[in-house]
Amino acid sequence: MGAGQGAGQRVGDHDDKARAATIFDVARLAGVSHQTVSRVLNDLPNVRPATRARVEQAIKQLRYVPSPAARALVTRRTRTLGLIVTGAPDYGPSSTALYFNEAARDARYTVITASMRETDAASMRSTAELLVRQNVEAIVLIAAERAALDALDGIELGVPVVAVASEERGALHRVWLDQYTGARLAVDHLIGLGHREIRHIAGPSNAMDAAERVRGWAATLGEHGLPAREPLVGDWSPGSGYMHGRTLASDSEMTSVFVSNDQMALGVMHAFAEAGLSVPGDVSIVGFDDIPEAAFFAPPLTTLRQDFVGLGRDAMASVLAVLGDDDRTPAPRVPDLVVRTSTAAPSRERVTLTS
Amino acid sequence: MGAGQGAGQRVGDHDDKARAATIFDVARLAGVSHQTVSRVLNDLPNVRPATRARVEQAIKQLRYVPSPAARALVTRRTRTLGLIVTGAPDYGPSSTALYFNEAARDARYTVITASMRETDAASMRSTAELLVRQNVEAIVLIAAERAALDALDGIELGVPVVAVASEERGALHRVWLDQYTGARLAVDHLIGLGHREIRHIAGPSNAMDAAERVRGWAATLGEHGLPAREPLVGDWSPGSGYMHGRTLASDSEMTSVFVSNDQMALGVMHAFAEAGLSVPGDVSIVGFDDIPEAAFFAPPLTTLRQDFVGLGRDAMASVLAVLGDDDRTPAPRVPDLVVRTSTAAPSRERVTLTS
DNA sequence: GGATGAGATGTTAGCGCTCACAGTATGCAG
DNA sequence: CTGCATACTGTGAGCGCTAACATCTCATCC
């Protein structure tokens, strides 16, 4: 009587079936107390097998599923993670996000995703706070731009942040792929083939991966006493690669280009083809990422394969570590050099010109 | 005394700061009842401006944020949506997911994402149930494969499902891009240029988009009295395009190919280049999707641009419509033909051979 | 001046679950 | 057959919030 005017008509009941079963319904059907049902639900000991079976039968019969809201309310744990992915739907971040998502599901965590194209500090913070307000237990940030990282560094969110990023930041945990060594591999490959004039087309200056690749490129050249001419700065897009490719095409000393990603490498190839330069006859090109298309460029692109699958899993492993106060960082994975046909020894005549 | 032994030490307090403020803390500080705070929170009327201000001040001061769990428990509304994305991290689905995510956030909904590579019925169902268990109010499915759609059709989830898919299914709501008309546009373009022998490389037979494109291709050819030779069936990858490209290269009658996506078109181009066929000199090629790389293929690819931004928004609009029992489906968007240089009039000699 | 009523605010009862603790049954020593 | 540990199982409270209703305040009118 006092307990509400009858059955269960209420707001938001746009499906006809009655209110879902609760733990008490299960308890009643199984002839036990709700607490025993809870024990079965949480796999706690001290439940007689026969009782457990009866409860499980009742659960099945009533198609009972526990309410995550009620559970979260009392336990203060949501088993929910926030994922912020910035930038365009590019191959790298998309893959990382996908595999992270799978790894999280395997670990029985739910992921709330926030995709964002803007990475200004205000947007980043309000998005992070939005996630915190959802009581996520940790935030994973997949960000290419330095600004996205900075925006979340220093502010007190109340939950740990795991950044998938190529740079270190004070308060943030981090997983990353070793861009620096990857770039070294690229340059070593070209040097091994006999190239001495190795240009670089970099990613945007606000991209951390791009900076690491520049660093690896410059360091390797330096160690070999080779000139590191000013890198051309692109924006990851094929279009910017094309633009810089046109510039480079008129540089008669250059025999090879290390391009900071495969998409720009495509643009470079296109520019070279237009200019009548043959790849790898006149110029060798190395990309970065190994996107699925790279093997079918004209010619197939030598590039560095990144292990995004592993990266996604590392991110989840790191979350688990942080949440368990078990703070060890997985070692960064090093990209694999995939040699295809866009690289070869420099042509006789260009080498002569240079030396 | 009876009311708990003192302060608030409890499980899961692994951050040093005390338990977060509740509505009661705010009420006490503002000198009102918790109910008044709740009214302010939910923007209900009948609160004196002065009181409202005092409460807002207290909220700010305590950095209070309402608990979504508690709110969900009592209102039975979570403002949460489930998103299932199947398949590889391809450009189309990734973009759609991204823009859907943004649209959802704009509508103040939270999105729980489940990425999955497997689309067998069992996985699909258990994933959908996982989302339902999180009390999502609706599920959005971005699926290329028919199987993914079928797996969710017919089963009673208790929440509406909006499928981003090219085929209709009984119980599912749907948004889609008009693949059929897009394919017609592609073929019309080729016919307009004078091609009479227009081959097709299709996507995998389990892909709904692929089937629609085949349908559009065949219908258009039929209306013009042109032969529709058996399509070659790829798997969306550049590799499969390459394989079929090699086959087609030896077909001396064919003057043009409509390829079901840009990635395969890339493979085809690669095969043609190897075989010494010039594009568009010997053969014209039309792709589908307009991925960012397409403009920089060798040669730049004529293709159909799909409005994934709009599609993502349509998906969210449809969710809102369904949730508000306002069941109107947005009209499907038609892809735009983007003419680049991979298409031209057929060469004299090939035409002659054919006729 | 007291009835009237609208606006503002407070009180109480849950939502469905877990936690802490209080029971009740069972086994076996003494 | 008592005593007491060791299974099991039950009871009550309360997590933080909103819904429903109760109460209180004051201007307005007859």
Side-chain angles (χ1 to χ4, degrees):
Chain A
M1 318 272 122
Q5 66 269 51
Q9 297 290 71
R10 237 186 171 64
V11 295
D13 55 342
H14 58 37
D15 55 317
D16 31 290
K17 71 158 76 137
R19 197 206 248 33
T22 76
I23 202 170
F24 287 92
D25 299 323
V26 175
R28 194 176 322 118
L29 181 59
V32 295
S33 75
H34 70 279
Q35 178 56 22
T36 297
V37 178
S38 172
R39 275 191 272 262
V40 171
L41 249 29
N42 295 290
D43 225 32
L44 296 174
N46 297 345
V47 178
R48 219 169 21 184
T51 310
R52 190 179 292 271
R54 231 167 49 246
V55 170
E56 275 162 355
Q57 157 64 21
I59 288 174
K60 197 163 298 172
Q61 188 174 329
L62 294 174
R63 306 178 107 259
Y64 165 77
V65 286
S67 151
R71 193 172 262 175
L73 185 58
V74 55
T75 61
R76 296 157 189 294
R77 297 215 46 197
T78 53
R79 288 198 83 80
T80 295
L81 267 23
L83 173 66
I84 304 181
V85 192
T86 69
D90 286 334
Y91 178 70
S94 296
S95 304
T96 310
L98 187 156
Y99 294 109
F100 166 73
N101 193 290
E102 289 195 336
R105 190 139 28 96
D106 288 346
R108 320 212 317 100
Y109 273 83
T110 298
V111 179
I112 298 180
T113 305
S115 306
M116 38 194 326
R117 279 166 305 156
E118 308 294 338
T119 57
D120 60 291
S123 310
M124 289 297 299
R125 285 174 196 208
S126 76
T127 301
E129 275 157 14
L130 192 84
L131 293 175
V132 168
R133 233 170 291 144
Q134 300 292 320
N135 290 344
V136 298
E137 296 182 14
I139 290 181
V140 172
L141 169 66
I142 298 180
E145 305 86 354
R146 202 168 279 117
L149 200 60
D150 288 332
L152 257 46
D153 183 36
I155 64 172
E156 188 44 66
L157 284 169
V159 300
V161 176
V162 172
V164 178
S166 287
E167 288 178 14
E168 188 89 51
R169 282 296 181 288
L172 309 182
H173 302 269
R174 181 170 73 122
V175 295
W176 72 103
L177 296 174
D178 190 343
Q179 308 296 320
Y180 175 80
T181 306
R184 296 192 58 110
L185 256 27
V187 178
D188 278 338
H189 170 65
L190 290 170
I191 291 174
L193 287 170
H195 292 274
R196 321 236 354 117
E197 187 72 33
I198 302 170
R199 299 295 306 259
H200 182 48
I201 297 180
S205 55
N206 58 16
M208 297 174 281
D209 286 356
E212 285 297 292
R213 292 173 197 166
V214 169
R215 215 162 61 77
W217 164 78
T220 311
L221 289 182
E223 286 166 21
H224 288 263
L226 296 174
R229 313 238 319 263
E230 191 61 31
L232 302 171
V233 177
D235 64 2
W236 296 138
S237 76
S240 70
Y242 174 72
M243 191 184 76
H244 291 310
R246 286 173 62 134
T247 306
L248 285 183
S250 59
D251 176 345
S252 57
E253 299 194 355
M254 170 270 317
T255 66
S256 62
V257 195
F258 167 44
V259 188
S260 202
N261 79 341
D262 289 353
Q263 301 206 355
M264 290 196 295
L266 176 66
V268 172
M269 284 179 165
H270 190 238
F272 285 0
E274 265 186 15
L277 283 176
S278 119
V279 177
D282 297 314
V283 188
S284 287
I285 299 182
V286 180
F288 214 108
D289 280 351
D290 195 27
I291 62 175
E293 289 86 352
F296 297 89
F297 286 177
L301 184 67
T302 293
T303 187
L304 284 128
R305 174 173 300 157
Q306 305 225 69
D307 183 1
F308 295 117
V309 182
L311 184 60
R313 292 194 186 133
D314 286 352
M316 188 59 211
S318 177
V319 166
L320 254 17
V322 170
L323 252 28
D325 288 326
D326 158 21
D327 205 345
R328 85 222 120 109
T329 315
R333 298 163 189 266
V334 176
D336 285 328
L337 180 70
V338 181
V339 178
R340 298 208 178 89
T341 51
S342 68
T343 48
S347 67
R348 199 58 56 86
E349 97 195 70
R350 284 205 159 224
V351 169
T352 315
L353 266 172
T354 315
S355 52
Chain B
M1 309 271 136
Q5 65 270 57
Q9 296 292 69
R10 238 190 170 63
V11 296
D13 55 343
H14 60 33
D15 56 317
D16 32 288
K17 71 158 78 138
R19 197 208 247 33
T22 76
I23 202 171
F24 287 91
D25 299 322
V26 175
R28 195 174 324 119
L29 181 59
V32 296
S33 75
H34 70 280
Q35 177 56 21
T36 298
V37 178
S38 173
R39 276 191 271 260
V40 171
L41 251 27
N42 295 291
D43 226 34
L44 296 174
N46 296 349
V47 179
R48 220 167 20 173
T51 310
R52 187 179 293 271
R54 237 170 41 249
V55 170
E56 275 162 356
Q57 157 65 21
I59 288 174
K60 198 163 295 171
Q61 187 174 328
L62 295 174
R63 307 179 105 257
Y64 165 78
V65 285
S67 151
R71 194 173 261 176
L73 186 57
V74 55
T75 60
R76 296 159 188 294
R77 296 215 49 197
T78 54
R79 288 197 82 81
T80 296
L81 267 21
L83 172 66
I84 303 181
V85 192
T86 70
D90 286 334
Y91 179 70
S94 296
S95 304
T96 310
L98 187 156
Y99 294 108
F100 166 72
N101 192 291
E102 289 194 336
R105 190 139 28 95
D106 289 347
R108 319 213 319 103
Y109 273 83
T110 297
V111 179
I112 298 179
T113 305
S115 306
M116 40 195 325
R117 278 166 307 155
E118 309 294 337
T119 57
D120 59 290
S123 310
M124 289 298 300
R125 284 174 198 208
S126 74
T127 301
E129 276 159 13
L130 192 85
L131 293 175
V132 169
R133 233 170 292 145
Q134 301 292 322
N135 289 342
V136 299
E137 296 183 13
I139 289 181
V140 172
L141 169 65
I142 299 180
E145 305 85 354
R146 201 169 279 117
L149 201 61
D150 287 332
L152 257 46
D153 184 37
I155 65 174
E156 187 44 66
L157 285 169
V159 300
V161 175
V162 171
V164 178
S166 287
E167 288 179 12
E168 189 89 52
R169 283 296 180 286
L172 309 182
H173 302 269
R174 180 168 76 120
V175 295
W176 73 103
L177 296 176
D178 189 343
Q179 308 297 320
Y180 174 82
T181 306
R184 297 191 57 111
L185 256 26
V187 177
D188 278 337
H189 170 63
L190 290 170
I191 291 175
L193 287 169
H195 293 274
R196 324 240 347 122
E197 186 71 32
I198 301 169
R199 301 294 305 258
H200 182 48
I201 298 181
S205 55
N206 58 16
M208 296 173 282
D209 286 356
E212 285 297 292
R213 292 172 198 168
V214 168
R215 214 162 62 77
W217 164 78
T220 312
L221 289 182
E223 286 166 19
H224 288 264
L226 297 174
R229 313 237 321 261
E230 190 61 30
L232 302 170
V233 177
D235 65 2
W236 296 136
S237 75
S240 70
Y242 175 70
M243 190 183 78
H244 291 311
R246 286 173 61 133
T247 307
L248 286 184
S250 61
D251 176 347
S252 57
E253 298 195 356
M254 170 272 313
T255 65
S256 62
V257 195
F258 167 45
V259 188
S260 201
N261 79 340
D262 290 352
Q263 301 207 355
M264 292 196 294
L266 176 66
V268 171
M269 283 180 167
H270 191 237
F272 285 180
E274 264 186 16
L277 282 177
S278 120
V279 176
D282 296 316
V283 187
S284 286
I285 299 182
V286 180
F288 214 106
D289 279 351
D290 196 27
I291 61 176
E293 289 86 350
F296 297 89
F297 286 177
L301 185 67
T302 293
T303 187
L304 284 128
R305 174 173 299 155
Q306 306 224 68
D307 183 1
F308 296 116
V309 181
L311 184 58
R313 292 194 187 134
D314 285 352
M316 187 60 211
S318 177
V319 165
L320 254 17
V322 169
L323 251 29
D325 288 327
D326 159 22
D327 206 345
R328 87 221 119 115
T329 314
R333 297 162 190 267
V334 175
D336 285 328
L337 180 70
V338 180
V339 178
R340 298 209 180 88
T341 52
S342 68
T343 47
S347 68
R348 198 58 56 83
E349 99 197 68
R350 286 208 156 224
V351 168
T352 315
L353 265 169
T354 316
S355 50

